[in-house]
Amino acid sequence: MPKTAEDVRVPPATTTRRSLPRLAWLIGPALVAGVAYLDPGNVASNMTAGARYGYLLVWVVVLGNVMAWLIQYLSAKLGIVTGKSLPETLGDRIRSKWGRRAYWLQAELVAMATDIAEVIGGAVALNLLFGIPLLWGGVITGTVSIALLLIQSRRGPRPFEFVIIGLLAIIAIGFSFGVFVAPPDGASVVAGLVPRFEGTDSVLLAASILGATIMPHAIYAHSALARDRFAPRAAGVPATPGGLPGSGRAASLWGARRTPHTDGTRPEPGTDTDIGAAAPLGYGAALSDRSAPDATLAELRGIPTRRLLRATKWDVSIAMLIAGTVNLCILLLAAANLAGVPGTDSLEGAYAALYAGLGPLVATLFAVGLLASGLASTSVGAYAGAEIMHGLLHIRVPLLARRLVTLIPALVILAIGFDPTVALVLSQVVLSFGIPFALVPLVGLTANREILGGFRNRVWTTIAGIAASVFLIALNGVLLFLVLSGV
């Protein structure tokens, strides 16, 4: 029987600071979303940049990380304040059915392109470590990602976070170890912080690095991860947080936000059966009954929203510090040890050069880091894809069926013998198409008083978001031009 307003357990206003969760236990969603910044596409771009141009593009990695901090924080803030993901919010605000479908199509293609890069990266790593054929390596990577998603859907966000954070630690060790064995030149690193290019190819690589860093699916996923992690609970429901959209295990109140019609179809956003569509500001998806005007998200959670946003800033800072450091280590490892070495413009070539130059331990850890990168990032990518479909089309597809469908393009590429590194680069080009569709709405929505109320962006935050969006869109436009024109 549906919960009414009287069934909702609202903590008393006198909740003490001691009863609130410690800051450390509020951290996690950004670390999971941050895995997207360490996917095989990033590895290929950074390794190639370091091998070809040494320390020239150090500044690009640093700049990309700073912009990523702002973008990921805005995404998490949207999910926390509204109780909805970015795809859900857009699904409610795009009134045209065909408009939603068109937006979903481009977002879905971006998610599938991301999946291609991540599955291929995992397959290459398994081939390097165990000699497994690339096609079977792709199957194994996809199978493991399904297992990780089942953990999320059946056990909730927290166990999923622990698994992904564990893989993140492996990634960090695998890609950073070589820098300590063969450290880079400090003066050259500092010189690399000065923005400059050396020819068209360096511009192409800079755009590739940023395109691989600011990934649309990470923006969609982070808002959903924050929403699920801090879901309000109904009385009598276990504290285990809700699961992956479509899992049927979500314990949060917004699982029944749209009440199906008697014929089984879902109402259009804004209609009288779209529960919460006309709810007062700040109630978001947490209301199960419009007759509870005092039941804000913060009261239902028992945690002040400002406290969650403060914890999120720490969460995003830690995640971006880890991602930025590891990406920088990858570039510095290549710059210090692979510069000028022929054949290092591919993952297989970089592995062989590391093996020959620094020994089997460094090369093996690099391959292990690549494997962990593929496994973790493909799971987060699949999560984002499921959220995109659920939020925009209000359709829930069984987890296994969806994962198998999205796995097919990567397996086809591996089966026909297409060069894995070239496929990685081309996947980043496809991703660049989706950046404006994720960034522009995110900045606009988080600056909108109607959506975020008192938590909307400050003026300077909006200006910084617009500047980052314009810069990234322009640079990715340059990337597309250079790739398509063959310059």
Side-chain angles (χ1 to χ4, degrees):
M1 182 174 180
K3 300 289 182 182
T4 64
E6 288 75 16
D7 296 321
V8 177
R9 180 184 296 120
V10 179
T14 57
T15 301
T16 63
R17 182 176 297 273
R18 179 177 297 181
S19 66
L20 296 174
R22 292 182 179 275
L23 182 65
W25 286 99
L26 300 177
I27 290 175
L31 292 171
V32 176
V35 167
Y37 295 85
L38 294 170
D39 79 334
N42 290 79
V43 178
S45 298
N46 290 317
M47 288 293 291
T48 303
R52 290 186 186 176
Y53 292 100
Y55 303 94
L56 178 71
L57 300 179
V58 167
W59 67 274
V60 178
V61 176
V62 175
L63 176 63
N65 208 58
V66 172
M67 290 190 293
W69 186 98
L70 174 63
I71 293 167
Q72 291 307 131
Y73 173 68
L74 294 182
S75 175
K77 182 169 76 169
L78 180 68
I80 290 171
V81 175
T82 66
K84 297 182 182 181
S85 66
L86 177 59
E88 282 182 308
T89 304
L90 291 172
D92 288 346
R93 294 181 70 83
I94 300 175
R95 299 299 179 182
S96 168
K97 180 186 297 185
W98 288 105
R100 287 197 304 276
R101 290 175 177 175
Y103 190 98
W104 164 80
L105 180 60
Q106 64 80 27
E108 193 69 48
L109 289 174
V110 164
M112 293 182 71
T114 303
D115 210 33
I116 288 174
E118 292 155 353
V119 171
I120 289 177
V124 169
L126 288 171
N127 179 260
L128 295 175
L129 289 169
F130 308 109
I132 298 174
L134 290 176
L135 177 59
W136 286 108
V139 172
I140 293 172
T141 302
T143 302
V144 173
S145 72
I146 292 174
L148 294 177
L149 289 171
L150 287 175
I151 292 175
Q152 204 281 346
S153 64
R154 298 190 176 185
R155 308 294 295 180
R158 198 58 174 166
F160 181 67
E161 287 174 10
F162 285 141
V163 173
I164 297 299
I165 291 171
L167 290 172
L168 181 62
I170 296 173
I171 294 169
I173 295 171
F175 290 145
S176 304
F177 183 78
V179 173
F180 295 97
V181 174
D185 178 66
S188 298
V189 175
V190 173
L193 294 172
V194 179
R196 65 192 191 281
F197 296 105
E198 289 183 4
T200 302
D201 191 50
S202 65
V203 178
L204 176 61
L205 274 175
S208 297
I209 291 172
L210 288 174
T213 300
I214 312 297
M215 305 183 76
H217 81 284
I219 300 174
Y220 298 127
H222 199 173
S223 60
L225 288 164
R227 175 206 63 193
D228 289 350
R229 178 68 143 70
F230 305 118
R233 309 284 176 250
V237 175
T240 302
L244 183 71
S247 66
R249 304 272 307 200
S252 58
L253 293 179
W254 58 68
R257 183 172 62 259
R258 287 194 182 87
T259 307
H261 292 303
T262 55
D263 61 359
T265 61
R266 287 188 174 273
E268 294 297 314
T271 62
D272 57 356
T273 49
D274 176 19
I275 299 177
L281 179 64
Y283 296 72
L287 293 181
S288 59
D289 192 316
R290 288 183 186 169
S291 64
D294 297 324
T296 65
L297 271 171
E299 290 172 332
L300 292 169
R301 288 171 176 147
I303 307 174
T305 299
R306 291 195 183 279
R307 180 176 175 82
L308 290 180
L309 293 178
R310 186 164 61 249
T312 297
K313 289 181 180 178
W314 280 100
D315 192 19
V316 174
S317 297
I318 294 170
M320 293 300 101
L321 178 63
I322 294 173
T325 300
V326 173
N327 278 317
L328 190 58
C329 284
I330 295 171
L331 187 147
L332 296 179
L333 177 65
N337 302 281
L338 304 181
V341 178
T344 55
D345 55 352
S346 68
L347 293 174
E348 298 92 338
Y351 172 83
L354 290 174
Y355 193 97
L358 299 180
L361 179 59
V362 172
T364 300
L365 285 175
F366 173 82
V368 170
L370 181 62
L371 177 59
S373 169
L375 294 176
S377 55
T378 193
S379 302
V380 175
Y383 175 93
E387 180 60 34
I388 289 168
M389 176 174 284
H390 164 64
L392 289 165
L393 301 185
H394 316 311
I395 295 175
R396 287 186 167 95
V397 175
L399 176 65
L400 182 59
R402 177 183 169 80
R403 191 69 190 97
L404 290 175
V405 170
T406 56
L407 199 58
I408 290 174
L411 295 181
V412 169
I413 290 174
L414 293 172
I416 65 177
F418 195 82
D419 184 88
T421 304
V422 174
L424 286 174
V425 174
L426 292 178
S427 71
Q428 304 309 305
V429 176
V430 175
L431 287 178
S432 66
F433 280 107
I435 287 179
F437 295 100
L439 273 183
V440 173
L442 176 67
V443 175
L445 290 171
T446 53
N448 192 330
R449 176 185 287 274
E450 179 187 347
I451 304 296
L452 262 64
F455 297 103
R456 72 189 188 283
N457 297 340
R458 296 177 184 273
V459 174
W460 288 109
T461 302
T462 301
I463 292 174
I466 293 173
S469 301
V470 170
F471 177 77
L472 288 169
I473 292 170
L475 198 56
N476 277 277
V478 173
L479 169 64
L480 290 175
F481 172 77
L482 293 176
V483 171
L484 296 177
S485 64
V487 177

